[in-house]
Amino acid sequence: MSSSTAALHRLRVGELADAVGTSTDTIRYYERAGLIPPPERTPSGYRSYDPAAIDRLQFIQGAQRLGLRLSDIADLLAIRDTGTCPCEPAEELLRRRIADLDTELARLTALRDQMTAMADALPSADCPPPRPGTWCPPSEGR
Amino acid sequence: MSSSTAALHRLRVGELADAVGTSTDTIRYYERAGLIPPPERTPSGYRSYDPAAIDRLQFIQGAQRLGLRLSDIADLLAIRDTGTCPCEPAEELLRRRIADLDTELARLTALRDQMTAMADALPSADCPPPRPGTWCPPSEGR
DNA sequence: GTAAACCTTGGAGCCGGGTCCAAGGTCAAG
DNA sequence: CTTGACCTTGGACCCGGCTCCAAGGTTTAC
């Protein structure tokens, strides 16, 4: 194993951004938000990332697609970084988020039904003269 | 018909807020946002609302519960206020929003499935040593 | 040697839908 | 007359997740 220059090649922030399809601004934002650790710097101050950062970012992106909030993801990463397997807390988080999702799904489904009923009723609803204060949707009451 | 003092009784902003279960701040916000017209003022400058404002606010609340954005609601109200029956544009809006909802529902359902699968897989997934860069969820790739 | 392309920083701005505040005016009850 | 509840204004602030900017330093390509 060659001693120094360990990794295949270190990435600058723009390369990292390109590698995962995001922007340098977003990466800096994640760093500020504590999602990724401050990377090493080149002598001139440039951020210099280990290629493993790609994994970390892809994990963040995956978790984001799963609907986790950045704060949740930060929690998971923090747990992982301590050396504890994050699976248990992750399951906790996931179960909670699934429950949230179910609530949301129920709400949206009800909404959809209502809106469809409304939209169907509209064309036939005989629209009274534009009397202020009256309107077609049977919004409140009966 | 009694000439003046027409309405049963005019409402002050706090009364209006109480009547529909919101805050005076929200009502002022709606006014700024163009959802409700600037009301008459008492000689001392207090807002003085026609009771019809209750209908308008309840309509706004109903439309909001239906998932319309304030800007959409403003459009509807603006159309209505010109004397044109808003049913057609309303149907347009509704159909569009329903399509949006369907998209969102599909997304969330897929998400739910994925998250459930993940959560179910977690407890059995044998967690490898806390090697940085690795993690349980089969997020990317296979 | 010089220009282009990269990097650095901190801070502001954006979306939506409000919420909160301070300083001051007004009104009704006792 | 005083107290307290209400009202006025405009502006700042909040959440989340970025995005954009300006002014300056560095590295790379020709």
Side-chain angles (χ1 to χ4, degrees):
Chain A
M1 305 72 168
S2 53
S3 53
S4 57
T5 73
L8 305 154
H9 91 134
R10 304 219 118 222
L11 302 155
R12 288 188 304 179
V13 68
E15 295 172 318
L16 179 56
D18 286 350
V20 300
T22 186
S23 70
T24 58
D25 271 335
T26 297
I27 290 177
R28 291 202 330 107
Y29 171 71
Y30 287 170
E31 184 179 327
R32 261 177 296 162
L35 287 166
I36 55 182
E40 288 175 32
R41 299 296 183 117
T42 66
S44 58
Y46 285 17
R47 289 175 176 78
S48 175
Y49 293 94
D50 187 287
I54 294 177
D55 286 353
R56 195 178 181 92
L57 277 174
Q58 283 177 339
F59 167 66
I60 293 171
Q61 293 178 328
Q64 243 184 331
R65 269 198 297 283
L66 289 179
L68 297 181
R69 286 162 296 201
L70 290 190
S71 56
D72 284 343
I73 299 173
D75 288 349
L76 287 183
L77 288 168
I79 292 166
R80 184 182 74 159
D81 291 342
T82 65
T84 310
C85 173
C87 293
E88 307 247 334
E91 196 187 349
E92 251 304 285
L93 271 177
L94 283 177
R95 298 277 179 215
R96 261 192 281 126
R97 291 288 297 152
I98 289 170
D100 290 351
L101 270 187
D102 284 343
T103 304
E104 186 68 2
L105 279 170
R107 201 184 68 81
L108 290 183
T109 304
L111 205 56
R112 210 212 103 99
D113 291 348
Q114 263 190 81
M115 290 179 67
T116 305
M118 238 179 98
D120 289 345
L122 278 187
S124 58
D126 91 291
C127 282
R131 182 161 70 80
T134 315
W135 208 52
C136 316
S139 36
E140 286 326 292
R142 90 296 185 282
Chain B
M1 310 70 163
S2 54
S3 52
S4 57
T5 73
L8 304 153
H9 94 132
R10 304 220 118 221
L11 301 156
R12 289 186 306 179
V13 69
E15 294 171 319
L16 180 57
D18 287 348
V20 300
T22 185
S23 70
T24 58
D25 270 336
T26 297
I27 290 177
R28 292 201 329 108
Y29 172 71
Y30 286 170
E31 184 179 326
R32 262 177 294 158
L35 288 166
I36 55 181
E40 289 176 30
R41 298 297 182 117
T42 66
S44 56
Y46 286 17
R47 288 177 177 78
S48 176
Y49 292 94
D50 188 286
I54 294 177
D55 287 353
R56 195 178 181 96
L57 277 174
Q58 283 177 339
F59 168 66
I60 293 171
Q61 294 178 326
Q64 241 184 334
R65 269 197 297 282
L66 289 179
L68 298 181
R69 286 161 297 200
L70 289 190
S71 58
D72 284 343
I73 300 173
D75 289 348
L76 287 183
L77 288 168
I79 293 167
R80 183 181 76 160
D81 291 341
T82 66
T84 310
C85 173
C87 294
E88 308 247 334
E91 197 186 349
E92 254 302 288
L93 271 178
L94 283 176
R95 298 276 179 216
R96 259 192 283 126
R97 292 288 295 150
I98 288 171
D100 290 350
L101 270 187
D102 285 342
T103 304
E104 186 68 2
L105 279 169
R107 200 183 69 82
L108 290 183
T109 303
L111 205 55
R112 209 213 103 99
D113 290 349
Q114 262 189 81
M115 291 178 66
T116 305
M118 238 179 99
D120 288 346
L122 278 188
S124 59
D126 93 292
C127 281
R131 183 162 71 79
T134 317
W135 209 54
C136 317
S139 37
E140 286 324 292
R142 95 294 185 281

